């Protein structure tokens, strides 16, 4: 057990919605920036925790696609929160599961006693990267932000029980944005394929890859961690697509102990897991002493799972 606790959480959800049949997607307003949304979620989390920005020891940015290449998104969020204090700031990126990776990293700092208070900020504006010609992804993604404040605790029953992460590089190019950094820099845009600067996904191949690798990955996690499916009060998966339900069925996750709100919220990229966790906490669906499992897949192909006792 890596001892830590969630002291506060906050979310930011655009009011503007679009509908595709019976499904609802949230899209950021034209005059609102990605940074605005992240800072809104961060400020809500800090208020909920009763923490002022100057108390933070570390800010972890955990977005799939950041604000700009340099500096890191975490530094830009910190700048908006305070120009004082002593916090470090850096980004952690495992695309859609960035929050889980950041929570894993944060728990290690807290348990080791290196830090006392850490802010993790996730969120993406997927709508500004979408290719309208790819209907599958264009109708799937929502914009949102979410943040949590983590604190070191002496309670031996609270914290990260176990975590695992693995990448299968054979599927690395199933989900990608190729342009914008050194592989296809901005100065080469005029000669580049414009599609390289938009989100590109082979949904069928990505799904088949997940179906091949996830059962063994989760079986290994349960065996190594000692966390039985029966121990879990709630599974909080990345809201990847409409295939989430069948995939969770395949993994043996009971329908009454999992979150599947893809129809109402879509894929919120890095915000999916913390946003849904915050909703569950707000609704009282889980609380102190409960074990929750945060999990999901991401570009790479990467899988992430983390068991947390609240």
């Amino acid at each position: 057990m890596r001892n830590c606790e969630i002291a506060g959480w906050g979310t930011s959800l655009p009011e503007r919605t679009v509908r595709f049949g019976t499904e609802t997607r949230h899209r950021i307003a034209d005059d609102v920036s990605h940074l605005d949304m992240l800072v809104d979620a961060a400020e809500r989390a800090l208020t909920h925790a009763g923490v002022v920005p100057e108390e933070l020891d570390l800010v972890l940015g955990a977005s799939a696609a950041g604000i700009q290449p340099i500096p890191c998104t975490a530094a830009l969020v910190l700048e908006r929160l305070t120009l004082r204090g002593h916090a470090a700031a850096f980004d952690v990126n495992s695309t859609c599961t960035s929050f889980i990776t950041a929570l894993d990293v944060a728990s290690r700092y807290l348990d080791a006693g290196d830090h006392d208070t850490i802010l993790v900020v996730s969120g993406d504006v997927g709508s500004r990267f979408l290719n309208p010609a790819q209907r599958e992804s264009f109708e799937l993604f929502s914009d949102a932000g979410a943040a949590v404040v983590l604190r070191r605790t002496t309670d031996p029953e609270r914290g990260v029980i176990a975590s695992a992460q693995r990448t299968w590089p054979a599927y690395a190019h199933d989900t990608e944005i190729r342009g914008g950094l050194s592989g296809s820099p901005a100065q080469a845009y005029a000669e580049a394929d414009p599609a390289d600067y938009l989100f590109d996904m082979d949904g069928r191949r990505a799904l088949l890859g997940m179906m091949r690798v996830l059962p063994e990955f989760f079986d290994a996690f349960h065996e190594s961690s000692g966390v039985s499916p029966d121990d879990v009060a709630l599974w909080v998966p990345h809201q990847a697509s409409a295939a989430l339900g069948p995939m969770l069925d395949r993994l043996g996750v009971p329908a009454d102990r999992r979150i599947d709100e893809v129809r109402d919220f879509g894929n919120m990229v890095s915000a999916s897991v913390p946003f849904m966790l915050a909703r569950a906490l707000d609704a009282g669906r889980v609380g102190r002493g409960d074990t929750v499992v945060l999990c999901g897949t991401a570009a790479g192909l990467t899988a992430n799972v983390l068991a947390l006792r609240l």
Side-chain angles (χ1 to χ4, degrees), residues 22 42 45 63 78 98 105 118 128 135 138 150 152 156 161 167 186 189 214 247 250 271 276:
T22 61
S63 295
L78 181 59
S98 294
V105 171
I118 298 176
R128 292 180 178 169
R135 181 177 175 181
F138 187 75
L150 297 164
R152 188 156 60 96
I161 301 170
T167 298
Y189 181 81
L214 288 186
M247 177 60 72
R250 183 180 177 89
M276 292 302 165

Side-chain angles (χ1 to χ4, degrees), residues 1 6 156-163 221-222 225-236 253 256-259 277 280-281 285-294 305-310:
M1 177 83 74
I6 296 178
E157 299 300 318
R158 306 184 78 183
V160 173
I161 301 170
S163 58
F221 172 74
H222 288 304
S225 67
V227 176
S228 163
D230 293 336
D231 298 332
V232 181
L234 186 66
W235 296 73
V236 186
V253 178
D256 63 341
R257 284 190 281 134
R258 71 194 193 202
I259 294 177
L277 176 61
L281 289 167
R285 190 172 178 181
V286 288
R288 184 163 184 157
D290 286 333
T291 296
V292 298
V293 167
L294 313 181
V305 59
L306 182 147
L308 173 69
R309 184 168 297 134
L310 297 172

Side-chain angles (χ1 to χ4, degrees), residues 232-251:
V232 181
L234 186 66
W235 296 73
V236 186
H238 170 49
Q239 308 289 291
S241 72
L244 177 63
M247 177 60 72
L248 294 174
D249 289 339
R250 183 180 177 89
L251 296 174

Side-chain angles (χ1 to χ4, degrees), residues 69 101 114 173 191 244:
T101 302
D114 295 332
H173 296 286
E191 292 78 32
L244 177 63

Side-chain angles (χ1 to χ4, degrees), residues 7 30 35 41 153 181 211 238 253 267 283 297-298:
D30 294 339
L35 183 57
T153 179
L181 295 178
M211 292 177 68
H238 170 49
V253 178
N267 183 327
T297 56

Side-chain angles (χ1 to χ4, degrees), residues 236 239 259 261 265 268 271-281:
V236 186
Q239 308 289 291
I259 294 177
E261 298 200 48
F265 291 97
M268 295 177 166
S272 279
V273 169
F275 187 92
M276 292 302 165
L277 176 61
R279 277 175 57 83
L281 289 167

Side-chain angles (χ1 to χ4, degrees), residues 134-202:
Q134 291 191 3
R135 181 177 175 181
E136 178 185 17
S137 56
F138 187 75
E139 297 182 359
L140 175 60
F141 288 92
S142 280
D143 304 330
V148 300
V149 175
L150 297 164
R151 275 184 169 153
R152 188 156 60 96
T153 179
T154 57
D155 186 339
E157 299 300 318
R158 306 184 78 183
V160 173
I161 301 170
S163 58
Q165 182 169 323
R166 182 176 170 183
T167 298
W168 292 265
Y171 305 97
H173 296 286
D174 292 352
T175 306
E176 60 185 348
I177 298 175
R178 292 174 291 275
L181 295 178
S182 64
S184 184
Q187 60 264 41
Y189 181 81
E191 292 78 32
D193 182 350
D196 285 347
Y197 292 79
L198 299 175
F199 182 76
D200 184 29
M201 178 175 72
D202 186 334

